[in-house]
Amino acid sequence: EEQLVESGGGLVQSGGSLRLSCAASGFTFSSYWMHWVRQAPGKGLVWVSRINSNGNSMNYADSVKGRFTISRDNAKNTLYLQMNSLRAEDTAVYYCAREPAAYYTMDVWGQGTTVTVSS
Amino acid sequence: QSVLTQPPSVSGAPGQRVTISCTGSSSNIGANYDVHWYQQLPGTAPKLLIYGNSNRPSGVPDRFSGSKSGTSASLAITGLQAEDEADYYCQSHDSSLSGSVFGGGTKLTVL
């Protein structure tokens, strides 16, 4: 079964840092581009970041550019999101998702991990 | 404010047909990027419902269909069932943002 499992969420003070992980299983992780998407409480989905299959090309939403860093370890089948200078507005459930070739879509999603930034 | 615009809510009675619109611009849907749709049941992760404007992943009932024209797209649900009550999101790629964009989401209520 193709699966993504996020971890690393928690409560952090404003200005602090957190690193999220997303462990992939059941598919060839190194063949897929990957995304992070977040959802603030009671709000809609917001795209955060995307990384190509070999980890040398990344894109970010303007709201996190310069503060968040996406990376991956294909040997460990794991995607990461390093979040620095956290703000209250970064409070959300963070999902990792897989992008199948050629469609710019997200076909497999994790269950999400919750990040709460206290001010 | 989302880059893609969806109605906040739609509703319909069981068995009826509803549509959800998604309006973009010349840098996303109008730039010929595909539109994708997701269903999010309460308290769960999003699930891919339609990809590439009109394709259904394996396991998605044919009651769900998608279409795209110009700078807009639509999701249609026929034969509404109580289990369809959920939030629905459209998504595309935006060339000016170099990333994905989502609609604000539409809450479907089955009356």
Side-chain angles (χ1 to χ4, degrees), chain A residues 35 37 39 43-47 50 59-62 65 95 99-100 102-112, chain B residues 2 33-34 36 38 40 44-48 50-52 55 87 89 91-93 97-104:
Chain A
H35 296 256
V37 175
Q39 186 170 34
K43 302 297 185 181
L45 302 173
V46 176
W47 176 78
R50 175 185 188 227
N59 300 103
Y60 299 92
D62 286 344
K65 205 171 290 185
Y95 297 100
E99 176 183 326
Y103 273 109
Y104 288 118
T105 188
M106 301 167 206
D107 66 342
V108 178
W109 292 66
Q111 85 290 349
Chain B
S2 302
Y33 289 109
D34 289 333
H36 321 286
Y38 303 87
Q40 188 176 33
T44 69
K47 168 192 167 186
L48 181 63
I50 297 287
Y51 69 95
N55 302 291
D87 294 322
Y89 295 89
Q91 176 249 322
S92 186
H93 182 80
L97 300 175
S98 296
S100 291
V101 287
F102 284 94

Side-chain angles (χ1 to χ4, degrees), chain A residues 58-70:
Chain A
M58 295 79 79
N59 300 103
Y60 299 92
D62 286 344
S63 59
V64 306
K65 205 171 290 185
R67 300 187 300 122
F68 290 12
T69 302
I70 190 172

